[in-house]
Amino acid sequence: MRHLLFVSLALILVSCSKDENPNIPETDKFNWTYNGRTYNLIIKNDVANAGAGKGQNGNVAIIFDMSEALGGTIHFEKDCAYLEPLGSSISQNEGCLLTDKDEAGNIIPIDSTKVFIYQSGSFNISFSKCVKKTSVDLLTGQSSQYDDCAASGSFDLTLVNKDNDIIVISDGIVDLHHVRLD
């Protein structure tokens, strides 16, 4: 649930610029390197495989899909990052304490051979050009306000599991024109 909430908060809206030349589309950039291969932002059916936003505690956070290469999604907030394997339901608690849930919804310890956790890393991401917007929930009809902002910055990250296997993400670049911040 929290994963879906963050993805909806970090949903990247693609639109055209309202600058002097409205015919030039804005180009979003969110890419990173893992094992010598560069991975890029992909948007399918208005859902992005990467995004920047505000995490559970209101801090800047990024999320990016590594399903193809690593079988999961990486969540990264200040001093807390982890690879959430497909099929897991990882929750992040205060102090970066991670838990998982089984099919019945019971809280269980994470599988520390599959869940890679923060070893080191940094990011410098800022939000600018924020504009207040209103959206309407199609199911309830209720409206809510949010900020539509540009996000820019960089990141790198090293994750490790219990077996000392290491994931190194480098050369992360964020340059997004429309990030929804609730």
Side-chain angles (χ1 to χ4, degrees), residues 44-77:
K44 290 183 181 175
N45 300 322
D46 290 332
V47 177
N49 70 332
K54 299 284 181 161
Q56 185 174 350
N57 59 8
N59 290 333
V60 174
I62 58 175
I63 184 172
F64 48 103
D65 183 6
M66 291 295 295
S67 297
E68 179 185 316
L70 299 171
T73 300
I74 293 177
H75 303 262
F76 186 14
E77 293 184 42

